[in-house]
Amino acid sequence: MALLGYLKSLFILQLLMGFVFVVSGLIINFIQLCTCILWPINKQLYRRINCRLAYSLWSQLVMLLEWWSGTECTLYIDQATVDKFGKEHAIIILNHNFEIDFLCGWTMCETYGILGSSKVLAKHELLKVPLIGWTWYFLEIVFCKRKWEEDRETVFSGLERLKDYPEYMWFLLYCEGTRFTEQKHQISMQVAESKGLPKLKYHLLPRTRGFTTTLQCLKGTVTAVYDVTLNFKDNQAPTLLGIVNGKKYKADMSVRRFPVEELPGNEQECATWLHKLYQEKDALQEMYNKEGKFPGNTVIPPRRIWPLLNFLFWATLLLSPLIKFACGVVVSGSPLLIIGFTIFLIIASVAIRRLIGVTEVKKTGSSYGNQESKKQN
């Protein structure tokens, strides 16, 4: 086990894995671009193809979490809810406290067969990020600038287009709008006090407009809202860099299902419902901190082999010519080729590190609280 841990920490192996992800992602993006000719001919076929292309990319990250780092995830959930996973359109409300919370959400999607068709309400800046933003663009992800006057038309039209989506989809929402930090929490609670809203201990004040708009536009399509509260054993603070280094984490998720027909129809009442939900999420976190677990029955989702097989396919396809080329460079003895290949490796390592940096708490998030309180939802 010590040897395996050492091998996982080797930079050259991590670089090769990053190479596979980046190059396969660029190939997938190119294929997605080519599929655009299908949109005016057969929109649903375009969507089905792009779901599978996206799966081929995102499942490599799931492989990293499940097979490389060995991270385990336990669901606290009733069996009736598990039985509906992957069999209905749903909105997923996930707390935004950890660097890899998105990866835990994707792993849950992969386990139940809807990773390729999962959706998010993403900030517009991510559209410019290679691989991630480009893949999302072809998947009809809804991007917003967090300025409602500018976003209104874009968000409504983007959500309306998803009403006839042919694959079951989970629409993941981070209602807090940005990742939790102590500074943002203080500002958020000042806003809560000014608006007469109950204060939260472990969450930021939810921004209700994104949720109410999504629910309003997708009503008749989505049949349930899943509330997911994520935490990690032993106060772990997981990072994507830790996952890349092969560090194992133990995740716990409390999942509750709310049928859409039981939710308030009025926008203001729905916003009030969301605030109450976050008070309940806060209570769940308090219980977890005291007892080390969430209430309810536990289910350990099966670890599927498809993400591993998908990665091995891309690794075999891409690393064979790369290794052959590298050996040729060394054997050639040409200083120019060796220097050029070294520069390529340096650029590749910097690019991969920048992609990892997109997830880091200190480098992401928004200028939360820098706007006037009246702009907060």
Side-chain angles (χ1 to χ4, degrees), residues 184-249:
K184 292 173 184 176
H185 181 250
Q186 291 177 12
I187 296 169
S188 181
M189 292 307 97
Q190 290 172 8
V191 174
E193 185 175 5
S194 68
K195 293 189 172 185
L197 295 170
K199 292 188 177 181
L200 304 172
K201 189 174 180 180
Y202 303 102
H203 299 85
L204 305 179
L205 196 67
R207 301 184 178 192
T208 61
R209 184 168 283 156
F211 171 71
T212 57
T213 301
T214 302
L215 186 61
Q216 176 187 347
C217 289
L218 295 182
K219 223 165 192 179
T221 300
V222 298
T223 54
V225 173
Y226 294 141
D227 171 50
V228 181
T229 304
L230 171 68
N231 217 323
F232 288 85
K233 294 286 189 188
D234 305 319
N235 294 316
Q236 292 174 313
T239 64
L240 186 54
L241 196 56
I243 295 294
V244 171
N245 287 325
K247 186 172 181 180
K248 182 177 181 178
Y249 301 104

Side-chain angles (χ1 to χ4, degrees), residues 219-360:
K219 223 165 192 179
T221 300
V222 298
T223 54
V225 173
Y226 294 141
D227 171 50
V228 181
T229 304
L230 171 68
N231 217 323
F232 288 85
K233 294 286 189 188
D234 305 319
N235 294 316
Q236 292 174 313
T239 64
L240 186 54
L241 196 56
I243 295 294
V244 171
N245 287 325
K247 186 172 181 180
K248 182 177 181 178
Y249 301 104
K250 292 184 178 181
D252 286 332
M253 285 183 171
S254 171
V255 184
R256 298 179 295 164
R257 181 182 184 274
F258 299 91
V260 166
E261 62 267 19
E262 295 181 6
L263 270 60
N266 177 274
E267 182 177 351
Q268 185 56 50
E269 291 177 353
C270 197
T272 302
W273 179 88
L274 185 65
H275 282 296
K276 182 181 178 183
L277 182 75
Y278 267 79
Q279 294 169 43
E280 294 172 359
K281 289 171 76 71
D282 230 41
L284 282 172
Q285 288 283 27
E286 181 74 26
M287 182 181 297
Y288 189 91
N289 289 345
K290 290 179 179 178
E291 301 182 10
K293 62 180 182 179
F294 291 116
N297 299 323
T298 60
V299 172
I300 299 178
R303 182 177 295 175
R304 304 206 312 168
I305 199 171
W306 300 116
L308 179 61
L309 293 178
N310 174 71
F311 176 78
L312 291 176
F313 163 77
W314 283 111
T316 302
L317 181 68
L318 299 174
L319 291 183
S320 297
L322 176 68
I323 293 172
K324 183 179 180 180
F325 176 76
C327 291
V329 169
V330 174
V331 171
S332 72
S334 168
L336 188 61
L337 278 177
I338 294 174
I339 291 173
F341 190 66
T342 302
I343 292 174
F344 166 75
L345 291 177
I346 292 172
I347 293 174
S349 63
V350 170
I352 292 166
R353 188 62 186 84
R354 285 178 66 87
L355 278 174
I356 292 175
V358 171
T359 70
E360 293 180 349

Side-chain angles (χ1 to χ4, degrees), residues 95-114:
N95 55 317
H96 211 4
N97 298 61
F98 306 98
E99 285 186 13
I100 66 165
D101 46 29
F102 76 98
L103 192 49
C104 292
W106 281 358
T107 300
M108 192 171 158
C109 289
E110 197 287 324
T111 301
Y112 295 99
I114 52 174

